[in-house]
Amino acid sequence: MTDEFAKHDLHQNPRRERNTLLRKLDGLPEHDTRRPLTATGTNPLDLAKHQATAETSYYSEVLQGAAAGDTTRPQHGN
């Protein structure tokens, strides 16, 4: 039963974070999504791109057992 709870959390936590970010970005005019909001030039679109990259790495490393930084798809049947 513990494995089911762990699996649920592994899927639910990134999904919840993604949905929170998307809700905050939803409805912003395109100009505002691309407008820098920090001294480093970060904008909301950059945050969404970063989140997508981090989530891809998370799922690749944690759920598929891929090496950190290797986001290539595993070859099945080889």
Side-chain angles (χ1 to χ4, degrees):
M1 200 61 153
T2 302
D3 289 341
E4 286 302 315
F5 290 123
K7 184 178 179 180
H8 175 75
D9 283 346
L10 286 172
H11 287 280
Q12 192 60 33
N13 290 342
R15 183 178 297 135
R16 183 179 56 244
E17 298 302 323
R18 178 185 345 109
N19 289 338
T20 299
L21 179 61
L22 293 176
R23 272 196 316 272
K24 292 179 184 212
L25 296 176
D26 190 35
L28 279 178
E30 184 174 348
H31 171 76
D32 289 341
T33 62
R34 297 177 185 277
R35 185 171 50 98
L37 299 176
T38 66
T40 62
T42 301
N43 62 44
L45 184 58
D46 290 337
L47 293 175
K49 289 177 183 178
H50 172 76
Q51 192 277 334
T53 301
E55 189 173 320
T56 300
S57 296
Y58 170 80
Y59 280 121
S60 294
E61 185 175 340
V62 174
L63 299 179
Q64 296 177 355
D70 179 16
T71 57
T72 58
R73 302 181 100 192
Q75 299 295 318
H76 297 287
N78 289 339

